[in-house]
């Protein structure tokens, strides 16, 4: 096992990695930007290195500074968390060139799967259905022709997009004419790659995703699936495991996920995202080649530590688990606590946390870097913690989540907690009638 690793991330995920590393006796180095100097990961890591000012480009995305920090502190491996460098194959490659292990899949499989176009191609090659759509579109004329075949409305997606950004719904030919160039330009600006793909825009469906682990030698297992249909602006708010899908459909989707990951000889933790419609059709959407924000719900029902598995695979110890070793128990739900005002269109609410008290008791887990007196910097995303509960079944988990939300106090910035309390009481939510348009159609938001 590694003696020391560097964590190229911030916030709750940096803390999450520190916790497992510490339990494993692995020393940690965390990098940070100037405004994050007083953050919990920096206080708890064995060592910390400032890699630049507030702007992500100058700090958390600053490759020379991050690699220097690893070399200077003698870290053998880098855990990228999610976001930032996590899905950057060039960074993974550079780690290798400097004799540092990138904790994640190979640069080759990241390149193959990292873009939405690449993911769709691999899905097609491994016999996994995708949403009707295209590869990378080269021109407006090609886009117009494809839209005619697919049928409006269509969705333009930045092939390199992520975090719910880089998507444009287009309802008519005229709209497409002006939107296409604009989408390319925005994709270039935000993701450094102008490539655009098109998909049929679907109005109502569930987002269901498969958690996989691979050893890079052809052995791939799944650790169940998650439902992440409660979203705003294409970003997840509440996730649960398992999904409420009928068992035959669930098994089919799990098998499709494993097949796809096997196709690229996947190494490490990964997630295959699917759309599941009312009629039980499922379509592969994309693969996230990293640990995911909502990995905790799968950890709770499997009793496994995914960061530990990631470290073991990266250190060359392989993946000793077989599919039949995976036993899933009960039901878990996660609420992402964002410093945002749900009544003002989820406007970010950075600032000082005057007082914070998290829930506890049976079946409650809190992954959060927030503490009383912590000042949430305005430069990064608004996630200040995750409240996770584990219960005997879905109904038990919902009641437990409601109880845990009621116990939690965050004074200072507005948060999404009051919204989650309402959702836990919502009759549609309680009976599992949840699709991605839930907030609009069932909560009038
Ligand atoms: P998850 O599926 O793990 O919930 P999200 O899609 O919500 O992941 O993204 C997690 C974090 O990573 C967010 O901070 C998001 O903004 C960021 N992120 C994900 N993909 C990209 C990308 N391609 N470019 C920039 N940021 C990204
Ligand atoms: P990201 O990389 O930003 O996570 P995804 O392709 O995973 O992008 O899509 C994020 C979310 O956008 C999905 O969970 C879903 O709510 C919505 N979405 C994606 N594809 C479609 C589609 N074809 N039609 C309608 N909504 C979609
Ligand atoms: Mg996604």
């Amino acid at each position: 096992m590694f003696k020391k690793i560097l964590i190229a991330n911030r916030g709750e995920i940096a803390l999450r990695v520190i916790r497992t590393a510490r339990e494993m006796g692995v020393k940690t180095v965390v990098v940070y930007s100037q405004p994050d100097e007083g953050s919990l990961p920096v206080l708890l890591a064995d060592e910390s290195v400032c890699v630049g000012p507030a702007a992500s480009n100058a700090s958390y995305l600053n490759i020379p500074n991050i690699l220097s920090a690893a070399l200077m502190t003698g870290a053998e491996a880098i855990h990228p968390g999610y976001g930032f460098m996590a899905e950057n194959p060039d960074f993974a490659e550079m780690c290798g060139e400097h004799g540092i292990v990138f904790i994640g899949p190979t640069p080759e499989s990241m390149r193959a799967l990292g873009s939405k176009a690449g993911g769709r191609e691999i899905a097609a090659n491994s016999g996994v259905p995708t949403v009707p759509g295209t590869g990378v579109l080269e021109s407006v004329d090609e886009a117009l022709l494809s839209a005619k075949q697919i049928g409006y409305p269509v969705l333009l997606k930045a092939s390199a997009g992520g975090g719910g950004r880089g998507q444009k719904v287009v309802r008519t030919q005229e709209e497409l004419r002006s939107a296409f160039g604009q989408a390319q330009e925005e994709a270039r600006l935000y993701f450094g790659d102008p490539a655009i793909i098109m998909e049929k825009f679907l109005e109502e469906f569930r987002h269901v995703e498969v958690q996989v682990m691979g050893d890079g030698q052809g052995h791939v297992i799944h650790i169940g699936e998650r439902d992440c249909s409660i979203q705003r602006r294409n970003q997840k708010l509440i996730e649960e495991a398992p999904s409420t899908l009928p068992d035959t459909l669930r098994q089919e989707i799990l098998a499709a996920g494993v097949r796809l990951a096997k196709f690229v000889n996947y190494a490490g933790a990964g997630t295959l995202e699917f759309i599941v419609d009312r009629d039980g059709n499922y379509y592969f959407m994309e693969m996230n080649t990293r640990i995911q924000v909502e990995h905790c719900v799968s950890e709770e029902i499997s009793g496994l530590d995914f960061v530990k598995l990631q470290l073991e695979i990266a250190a060359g110890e392989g993946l000793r688990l077989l599919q039949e070793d995976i036993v899933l128990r009960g039901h878990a739900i996660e609420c992402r606590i964002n410093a945002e005002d749900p009544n003002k269109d989820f406007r970010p609410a950075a600032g000082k946390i005057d007082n914070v008290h998290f829930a506890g008791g049976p079946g409650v887990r809190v992954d959060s870097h927030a503490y009383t007196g912590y000042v949430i910097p305005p430069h990064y995303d608004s996630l200040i913690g995750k409240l996770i509960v584990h219960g005997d079944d879905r109904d038990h988990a919902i009641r437990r989540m409601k109880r845990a939300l009621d116990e939690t106090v965050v004074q200072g910035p507005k948060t999404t907690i009051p919204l989650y309390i309402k959702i836990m009481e919502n009759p549609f939510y309680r009976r599992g009638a949840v699709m991605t348009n839930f907030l609009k159609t069932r909560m009038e938001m």
Side-chain angles (χ1 to χ4, degrees):
M1 185 38 65
F2 307 117
K3 291 193 175 59
K4 195 194 268 189
I5 62 168
L6 180 138
I7 300 158
N9 216 299
R10 63 180 303 281
E12 69 85 19
I13 194 64
L15 190 56
R16 169 73 193 82
V17 178
I18 290 173
R19 284 175 169 156
T20 287
R22 185 157 282 182
E23 290 175 11
M24 293 175 74
V26 175
K27 292 258 184 286
T28 52
V29 182
V30 75
V31 298
Y32 64 95
S33 68
Q34 279 159 3
D36 277 340
E37 188 176 358
S39 72
L40 209 47
V42 175
L43 298 174
L44 289 181
D46 296 298
E47 290 171 75
S48 57
V49 180
C50 182
V51 286
S56 299
N57 273 329
S59 49
Y60 294 106
L61 296 173
N62 185 331
I63 295 179
N65 285 8
I66 293 170
L67 288 177
S68 304
L71 294 171
M72 201 171 74
T73 55
E76 296 144 274
I78 296 185
H79 195 302
Y82 51 69
F84 297 127
M85 312 301 293
E87 292 180 272
N88 183 333
D90 298 333
F91 177 68
E93 204 161 76
M94 276 185 251
C95 287
E97 284 161 7
H98 288 82
I100 299 163
V101 176
F102 177 80
I103 302 172
T106 61
E108 293 72 42
S109 48
M110 285 165 80
R111 261 190 205 110
L113 285 162
S115 72
K116 298 194 197 303
R120 288 178 58 89
E121 202 180 308
I122 289 172
N125 289 333
S126 46
V128 174
T130 53
V131 187
T134 69
V136 175
L137 295 167
E138 303 295 342
S139 66
V140 185
D141 289 338
E142 195 187 344
L144 287 165
L145 194 64
S146 302
K148 207 167 169 183
Q149 287 159 354
I150 295 167
Y152 291 91
V154 295
L155 188 61
L156 296 178
K157 277 190 183 178
S159 187
R165 286 166 302 139
Q167 298 190 10
K168 248 190 186 51
V169 186
V170 178
R171 296 188 182 274
T172 63
Q173 219 174 322
E174 292 65 49
E175 246 179 80
L176 181 55
R177 261 183 238 282
S178 59
F180 186 74
Q182 216 179 318
Q184 280 184 320
E185 198 40 47
E186 284 175 19
R188 187 203 318 277
L189 208 64
Y190 294 123
F191 308 107
D193 177 359
I196 295 292
I197 65 160
M198 182 185 290
E199 282 178 6
K200 172 89 190 149
F201 177 71
L202 305 170
E203 304 278 352
E204 205 177 54
F205 55 87
R206 292 172 194 270
H207 173 122
V208 176
E209 55 184 38
V210 178
Q211 175 71 51
V212 294
M213 271 308 154
D215 69 353
Q217 315 283 328
H219 176 47
V220 177
I221 59 169
H222 70 73
I223 309 179
E225 84 290 358
R226 299 181 281 262
D227 185 308
C228 313
S229 300
I230 303 237
Q231 306 183 346
R232 60 106 174 67
R233 294 197 290 262
N234 300 325
Q235 293 171 343
K236 301 157 189 164
L237 291 176
I238 300 178
E239 302 95 347
E240 61 185 271
S243 68
T244 55
L245 293 181
D247 200 52
T248 42
L249 182 55
R250 172 209 320 274
Q251 295 304 339
E252 243 181 89
I253 295 174
L254 290 170
V258 169
R259 197 157 73 238
L260 214 158
K262 268 197 180 143
F263 193 83
V264 295
N265 222 340
Y266 195 75
T271 298
L272 300 108
E273 300 188 327
F274 290 86
I275 279 174
V276 183
D277 73 15
R278 267 181 188 284
D279 305 322
N281 301 305
Y282 65 91
Y283 309 99
F284 171 74
M285 206 165 17
E286 66 158 349
M287 180 163 188
N288 294 325
T289 55
R290 54 171 163 89
I291 192 137
Q292 216 144 348
V293 176
E294 61 276 18
H295 73 279
C296 314
V297 288
S298 305
E299 287 188 325
E300 290 305 309
I301 62 165
S302 66
L304 295 167
D305 179 334
F306 292 1
V307 174
K308 180 164 180 275
L309 294 174
Q310 284 188 301
L311 292 186
E312 287 170 353
I313 294 164
E317 295 178 10
L319 173 65
R320 274 161 292 198
L321 290 166
L322 302 175
Q323 189 62 59
E324 51 268 35
D325 297 330
I326 306 302
V327 181
L328 305 177
R329 193 191 68 77
H331 200 97
I333 302 176
E334 169 182 281
C335 287
R336 297 190 188 194
I337 302 177
N338 294 338
E340 289 172 357
D341 188 346
N343 293 321
K344 298 217 166 75
D345 200 25
F346 297 94
R347 183 198 297 167
K352 185 167 171 222
I353 300 179
D354 298 317
N355 183 28
V356 59
H357 173 80
F358 281 113
V364 175
R365 164 175 170 182
V366 176
D367 279 24
S368 173
H369 59 293
Y371 59 82
T372 294
Y374 176 62
V375 179
I376 304 161
H379 319 283
Y380 312 106
D381 77 27
S382 54
L383 183 73
I384 56 167
K386 304 181 303 200
L387 182 58
I388 304 120
V389 300
H390 186 202
D392 300 333
D393 53 29
R394 188 169 188 270
D395 189 53
H396 185 210
I398 291 173
R399 280 181 282 124
R400 189 161 262 175
M401 179 58 88
K402 167 76 169 57
R403 184 271 287 173
L405 288 163
D406 284 339
E407 268 177 41
T408 303
V409 178
V410 181
Q411 283 166 341
K414 289 258 192 294
T415 75
T416 41
I417 291 174
L419 170 65
Y420 297 150
I421 291 176
K422 280 192 221 146
I423 294 176
M424 292 304 131
E425 292 167 338
N426 181 290
F428 296 99
Y429 179 76
R430 295 193 79 115
R431 66 164 193 264
V434 174
M435 306 235 206
T436 49
N437 57 359
F438 177 86
L439 289 190
K440 275 191 198 120
T441 57
R442 307 298 195 201
M443 300 287 292
E444 288 159 13
M445 298 190 78

